[in-house]
Amino acid sequence: QFYAAECALLPGGGVRANKDYTNQECYTFYDLKQDFPFDTAYTVVKMPGHVLESAITFGRVGAPQEEARGFFHLCSAIDYDSKSKKIRSIQNQSFHPQREYKVAMPRNVLEGMDDNQPV
């Protein structure tokens, strides 16, 4: 059965182009392939909110300038407060740590890539 994702986590190591598109008129397919050069299979998993929050926080431990294993870029549906290390909302709905959320993420992360311990 297919489950539509409520949010998505993208591993930091998979984003490669390191380009600022602020002054670019449009974002092209070429740009997309430069940013995400790997053929990565994504899946949607049911994940308890507290695990989702821990997975996000795990990759944000340490100094901001340090590269962190297990770092995730967050989709715009996740409102995460870096100071409190808490998710405020998902899709503009109050976050509930015990609720299961449908999260899109790379399958290889679930197989141990980047060693994000909570996942």
Side-chain angles (χ1 to χ4, degrees):
Q1 186 176 10
F2 177 77
Y3 297 100
E6 296 172 89
C7 60
L9 301 176
L10 292 90
V15 181
R16 295 298 173 137
N18 195 26
K19 184 177 174 188
D20 182 359
Y21 297 99
T22 306
N23 296 319
Q24 188 169 317
E25 188 172 319
C26 66
Y27 186 78
T28 67
F29 185 71
Y30 176 79
D31 297 326
L32 178 68
K33 293 305 285 177
Q34 295 299 303
D35 283 337
F36 301 97
F38 308 111
D39 290 330
T40 303
Y42 275 72
T43 190
V44 176
V45 296
K46 290 181 179 178
M47 183 179 291
H50 65 91
V51 174
L52 175 60
E53 190 171 67
S54 294
I56 294 167
T57 301
F58 181 86
R60 286 167 167 73
V61 174
Q65 67 274 14
E66 292 177 8
E67 183 176 327
R69 290 193 61 74
F71 176 84
F72 289 115
H73 293 285
L74 310 178
C75 73
S76 61
I78 301 173
D79 181 11
Y80 179 80
D81 180 42
S82 295
K83 289 186 181 184
S84 68
K85 297 182 169 87
K86 299 288 182 190
I87 296 174
R88 290 186 280 233
S89 66
I90 295 182
Q91 291 190 354
N92 297 317
Q93 301 293 316
S94 296
F95 175 73
H96 300 283
Q98 299 309 315
R99 184 182 160 223
E100 281 192 334
Y101 291 91
K102 292 173 261 181
V103 182
M105 59 191 313
R107 187 179 61 226
N108 52 10
V109 170
L110 298 170
E111 297 166 346
M113 184 186 86
D114 290 338
D115 195 31
N116 187 299
Q117 295 299 311
V119 174

